Amino acid sequence: MPELKNDRFLRALERQPVDRTPIWIMRQAGRYLPEYRAVREKAGDFMTLCQTPELACEVTLQPLERFDLDAAILFSDILTIPHAMGLGLHFVKGEGPRFSHPVRDRRAIDALPRPDAETDLGYVMDAVRVIRRELDGRVPLIGFSGSPWTLATYMVEGGSSRDFRRIKGLMYEDPETLHRLLARVADSVTDYLNAQIAAGAQAVQIFDTWGGVLSPATYREFSLAYMQRIVEGLTRESDGRRVPVILFTKNGGQWLEAIADAGPDALGIDWTTDLDDARGRVGERVALQGNLDPNVLYAGPERIRAEVERVLAAFGHGEGHVFNLGHGIHPQIDPDHVRVLVDAVHELSAPYHG
Ligand code: CP3
């Protein structure tokens, strides 16, 4: 494997010195880029794009051609695991993901297979290998998965939800059955992330998009416990280098200490928690990733630069910060504003290092 030419992202995750704060953007490959929409059109639909390694590679690299980003993220989706379990993933225009066969009772849950990551999800591992080859050491490649709780919300609800009434109904009525589902999903996520690492992913992020809809007690029992189980089962070194793990619970700001206790290298922080507060609470133990409000990118260059400075100042001087948005970039954002963001992070962060 070629030497990494830019390892700022990995160094920041290990809280090692860097010359500039590294930046990548959640959902950096996607619909806000016209060249993504063109490839998506050519592929026909989103799942074909995910399942064709050369196309997945092409769209993974698109944002890196435009912007001076410090990491690439595998182009795929968190719902590939339930799809491989036979739930029948499809996308309904304007409504997001849907499953033809949601799982809602003990019988359906106990019948779920444990997918083989190298065969059933081989298209993802092939994409990782092709992307690593094409990246040729430019920047590290991030692999990812959903958290068991977040995946279970889609598997039980059958798609996106506003109120989570089916999964929360199950959680309160029959917690044992939900635990069986979460345990199965956690084992599959562990297999899946370890296969991505074996294929060449150099860091991994677990997206716990919906952990923040839980109460403190149910968050610990139904989301965090299973992320911890995954973290404990992950390969943490590959090619002689640490493979850092980032846990991102959207709206999880009140639980940072508990999340750090689960053993990750870094925590993703959304914009509802200030980085100075987060750093004071867990900065001795983990790196922090975030946390610009994605809506800042609707504003003009002057405001974007001012808000970047505010985030950099909140983290303050020293190591252990990876810049990102506090959640995914919106499809309506002007790519020129993204360039302003990325360049501002590199330019304005120099005084915070060295
Ligand atoms: O960050 C990246 O650039 C990597 C790619 C990535 C995608 N989805 C591509 C995608 C990642 C990391 C995800 C994660 C994901 N997928 C999450 C967690 C995200 C988070 O930020 O918390 C969730 C909840 C999903 C499930 C999912 N997949 C949803 C809700 C949607 C959007 C549906 C819609 O129509 O808006 C998808 C589809 C999807 N995944 C798209 C992309 C680029 C849009 C597909 C398209 O229409 O082209």
Side-chain angles (χ1 to χ4, degrees):
M1 281 290 177
E3 190 88 3
L4 258 180
K5 295 169 191 114
N6 170 358
D7 68 349
R8 272 186 200 125
F9 168 69
L10 294 180
R11 292 181 64 84
L13 289 175
E14 294 166 61
R15 288 176 289 146
Q16 299 290 318
V18 287
D19 59 339
R20 303 268 193 281
T21 303
I23 173 172
W24 70 280
I25 298 170
M26 287 190 271
R27 295 281 184 105
Q28 65 190 27
R31 283 173 295 191
Y32 75 104
L33 291 176
E35 58 270 34
Y36 169 82
R37 296 195 298 266
V39 175
R40 160 92 146 62
E41 188 75 25
K42 190 171 75 181
D45 66 80
F46 173 68
M47 280 310 283
T48 303
L49 195 47
C50 292
Q51 291 171 337
T52 311
E54 290 70 25
L55 295 180
C57 176
E58 185 178 347
V59 297
T60 297
L61 299 182
Q62 284 175 345
L64 304 173
E65 307 295 343
R66 272 195 189 243
F67 315 118
D68 190 18
L69 294 159
D70 296 292
I73 180 164
L74 163 69
F75 188 85
S76 187
D77 199 78
I78 64 167
L79 301 177
T80 50
I81 288 180
H83 185 56
M85 288 176 160
L87 273 67
L89 175 63
H90 54 279
F91 287 85
V92 179
K93 224 183 169 71
E95 288 177 48
R98 285 276 184 81
F99 286 116
S100 319
H101 313 289
V103 288
R104 291 179 181 151
D105 53 38
R106 178 72 69 106
R107 208 163 50 95
I109 287 166
D110 285 348
L112 286 172
R114 179 170 178 164
D116 182 285
E118 268 300 338
T119 55
D120 301 323
L121 290 156
Y123 63 90
V124 177
M125 308 314 147
D126 288 341
V128 170
R129 286 184 279 262
V130 174
I131 296 164
R132 271 301 296 276
R133 190 187 70 213
E134 294 301 316
L135 271 175
D136 193 32
R138 257 190 286 173
V139 292
L141 175 63
I142 306 167
F144 71 92
S145 168
S147 72
W149 165 259
T150 292
L151 292 176
T153 66
Y154 290 96
M155 295 171 76
V156 173
E157 299 290 339
S160 303
S161 177
R162 264 178 210 287
D163 49 17
F164 302 95
R165 63 198 168 97
R166 289 195 179 87
I167 192 161
K168 286 194 171 185
L170 182 64
M171 178 176 83
Y172 289 117
E173 186 62 32
D174 184 6
E176 205 36 56
T177 292
L178 181 55
H179 277 302
R180 289 169 84 104
L181 173 60
L182 293 167
R184 250 166 219 259
V185 174
D187 289 342
S188 294
V189 168
T190 307
D191 294 344
Y192 183 61
L193 289 177
N194 280 336
Q196 289 184 29
I197 292 165
Q202 290 151 294
V204 294
Q205 174 157 321
I206 299 177
F207 286 87
D208 187 27
T209 309
W210 299 119
V213 305
L214 292 164
S215 67
T218 58
Y219 174 70
R220 258 181 264 115
E221 181 177 345
F222 294 94
S223 183
L224 186 57
Y226 291 94
M227 291 199 285
Q228 177 163 353
R229 175 163 162 166
I230 293 163
V231 169
E232 287 167 356
L234 289 181
T235 309
R236 299 296 277 273
E237 204 186 293
S238 179
D239 269 342
R241 184 143 196 181
R242 187 161 181 89
V243 180
V245 180
I246 308 160
L247 293 185
F248 172 55
T249 292
K250 172 90 194 308
N251 272 313
Q254 59 175 324
W255 305 314
L256 299 184
E257 293 84 351
I259 304 171
D261 286 342
D265 298 272
L267 304 189
I269 308 288
D270 69 47
W271 62 90
T272 63
T273 299
D274 281 327
L275 288 183
D276 48 356
D277 171 55
R279 192 178 187 187
R281 290 161 58 197
V282 296
E284 296 291 309
R285 295 193 283 149
V286 287
L288 299 175
Q289 177 178 278
N291 71 341
L292 189 74
D293 182 345
N295 292 293
V296 166
L297 295 177
Y298 289 111
E302 284 316 305
R303 171 58 81 176
I304 294 170
R305 286 173 60 87
E307 295 295 327
V308 164
E309 177 58 39
R310 187 198 297 273
V311 169
L312 291 169
F315 184 87
H317 195 274
E319 310 314 329
H321 182 207
V322 172
F323 205 102
N324 206 315
L325 302 180
H327 202 196
I329 187 169
H330 300 177
Q332 301 81 5
I333 294 300
D334 178 344
D336 288 341
H337 291 200
V338 177
R339 180 186 325 282
V340 172
L341 163 68
V342 174
D343 292 346
V345 169
H346 286 149
E347 186 188 322
L348 301 174
S349 65
Y352 292 96
H353 302 282

